[in-house]
């Protein structure tokens, strides 16, 4: 959104690090500034419809890869759980109401800080 407003180039280091969702990635490419988007890992992608086609294909591959990783992870966790491995952080204690209140307060502070940062950009 900021690039579009400023008619700036959006520079992305790696396509699959921005997103592994083809629809979202294409919305970023479509919503970028006049100069468009530059993917550092795809320096030879031409502008225009051919470039858009290539980006679409790469985004689809990234989305497929994310789905396969998720599938393998779920399968490995199921196997570990079946073997009796206790999943999660064993050093974490069950939360108390005091801990929950402290977490809510910390999160509220984070939200307020972020709102101040965004407000400066909006103004």
């Amino acid at each position: 959104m900021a690039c579009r407003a400023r008619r700036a180039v959006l520079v992305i280091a790696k396509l699959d690090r921005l997103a592994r969702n083809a629809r979202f990635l294409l919305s970023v490419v479509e919503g970028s500034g006049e100069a468009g988007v530059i993917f550092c890992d795809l320096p030879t992608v031409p502008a225009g419809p051919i470039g858009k086609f290539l980006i679409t294909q790469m985004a689809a591959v990234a989305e497929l890869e994310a789905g396969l990783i998720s599938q393998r992870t779920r399968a490995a966790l199921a196997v570990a759980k079946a073997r009796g491995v206790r999943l999660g952080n064993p050093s974490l204690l069950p939360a108390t109401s005091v801990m929950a209140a402290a977490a809510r307060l910390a999160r509220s502070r984070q939200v307020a800080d972020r709102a101040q940062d965004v407000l400066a950009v909006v103004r």
Side-chain angles (χ1 to χ4, degrees):
M1 212 157 147
C3 286
R4 184 176 6 173
R6 292 177 176 82
R7 297 182 178 169
V9 177
L10 178 62
V11 179
I12 309 284
K14 287 186 70 178
L15 179 136
D16 66 340
R17 302 313 297 164
L18 171 65
R20 292 193 174 186
N21 178 303
R23 181 176 297 168
F24 171 76
L25 189 67
L26 290 175
S27 73
V28 169
V29 171
E30 291 291 325
S32 64
E34 284 180 1
V37 178
I38 295 175
F39 294 99
C40 296
D41 61 335
L42 302 170
T44 59
V45 173
I50 292 174
K52 185 176 178 182
F53 171 77
L54 291 173
I55 295 295
T56 302
Q57 296 305 305
M58 294 302 292
V61 169
E63 188 171 339
L64 171 64
E65 182 181 4
L68 293 173
I69 289 169
S70 175
Q71 202 173 45
R72 287 191 304 264
T73 301
R74 276 188 261 118
L77 288 172
V79 168
K81 192 173 183 179
R83 282 193 321 238
V85 174
R86 185 169 176 213
L87 302 176
N89 186 346
S91 65
L92 289 179
L93 300 174
T96 64
S97 60
V98 173
M99 294 168 89
R104 280 193 302 275
L105 180 61
R107 181 66 181 142
S108 293
R109 287 184 183 147
Q110 288 174 342
V111 168
D113 290 346
R114 177 70 178 139
Q116 289 299 320
D117 292 345
V118 171
L119 186 58
V121 173
V122 169
R123 285 186 181 150

